[in-house]
Amino acid sequence: MSERSPRRVVVATGNPGKVKELGAALAGLRFELLTQGELGIEAAPETSCTFLENALGKARHAARESGLPAIADDSGLVVPALGGAPGIHSARYAGTNASDAANNAKLLGELPSTPSPAHFTCCLVYLQSPRDPAPIIATARWHGLIIDSPRGTNGFGYDPHFLVPTLGKTAGQLAVDEKNRLSHRGKACRMLAELMADDCDIPISRP
Ligand code: ITT
């Protein structure tokens, strides 16, 4: 591979909302991002109790199956009034393969009152290979309030119920670039890109 050709990297997610946001936020890296679905790779089981360990597991699995470097995102909504739930169970809060609508309904049913403070967390991991002993890791949070009436149809997951107080809008009312400027995932992507820029082996086009 010439030094200038983009590096092929597998994105270890099956969530189309994440693919859209990661693709936009990581566009500055000279990577050709391929999803694990495109490569016929099944999702890794999420068996750990932290976002970090789950992200490492997903990236390791995708790197092993594809033979390519991998980026994984493990993320979720943390609500202090619910003892941190749904947390790492955010995607399956209302059950395995639950829809976003079912997860949101369960969230509102469990909350003692609204608006309720909450944050999204995103942990991103980049592995050069499944046995990479020095993963690049970036993690970030986005604070807001859970409200009972949904607003907006953009984004995914809990976005329509996640109010960003400084904007008076929910995450579901934000365009991808606007959300990435503020969000847990957007911030983690910028941190990951910075950390990668310090790694001379990784091709980065700096603005
Ligand atoms: P992959 O494991 O295939 O990446 P997933 O959706 O199962 O997809 P996670 O286990 O990391 O991924 O769970 C993330 C869940 O957290 C996601 O399905 C949403 O319910 C919620 N979530 C994470 N980031 C979010 C965001 O930006 N907006 C709304 N909800 C979000």
Side-chain angles (χ1 to χ4, degrees):
M1 185 171 73
S2 91
E3 231 200 307
R4 290 190 159 270
S5 57
R7 173 174 295 195
R8 299 176 85 220
V9 173
V10 59
V11 183
T13 181
N15 180 325
K18 287 187 187 178
V19 171
K20 201 168 169 184
E21 292 176 17
L22 292 170
L26 297 175
L29 303 182
R30 286 198 291 112
F31 284 166
E32 179 189 347
L33 296 177
L34 306 161
T35 63
Q36 62 183 16
E38 285 174 82
L39 300 174
I41 299 169
E42 298 281 326
E46 293 179 37
T47 53
S48 300
C49 58
T50 64
F51 293 111
L52 172 58
E53 289 163 295
N54 281 335
L56 277 168
K58 290 187 214 182
R60 205 172 278 131
H61 171 78
R64 188 183 303 118
E65 294 296 308
S66 65
L68 294 171
I71 290 179
D73 165 319
D74 201 63
S75 49
L77 181 73
V78 176
V79 184
L82 298 177
I88 55 153
H89 303 293
S90 292
R92 51 188 191 279
Y93 194 37
T96 310
N97 299 323
S99 65
D100 289 343
N103 286 333
N104 278 309
K106 171 151 180 169
L107 175 69
L108 295 171
E110 300 279 335
L111 274 179
S113 64
T114 53
S116 184
H119 72 261
F120 282 120
T121 284
C122 174
C123 182
L124 292 181
V125 166
Y126 174 86
L127 287 180
Q128 305 245 24
S129 69
R131 294 171 65 86
D132 184 348
I136 298 180
I137 296 167
T139 185
R141 296 179 181 202
W142 191 20
H143 291 273
L145 295 171
I146 301 302
I147 56 169
D148 53 7
S149 310
R151 287 197 232 155
T153 53
N154 294 335
F156 64 97
Y158 300 92
D159 280 345
H161 291 277
F162 186 82
L163 182 75
V164 187
T166 49
L167 297 180
K169 288 181 181 177
T170 69
Q173 293 175 294
L174 304 181
V176 171
D177 287 345
E178 210 177 357
K179 181 178 170 188
N180 272 343
R181 269 199 294 281
L182 302 169
S183 77
H184 51 315
R185 184 164 299 103
K187 284 185 268 190
C189 283
R190 287 190 287 282
M191 290 166 63
L192 195 78
E194 274 302 308
L195 293 167
M196 286 176 158
D198 291 337
D199 185 332
C200 57
D201 191 35
I202 297 174
I204 306 270
S205 59
R206 281 197 140 139

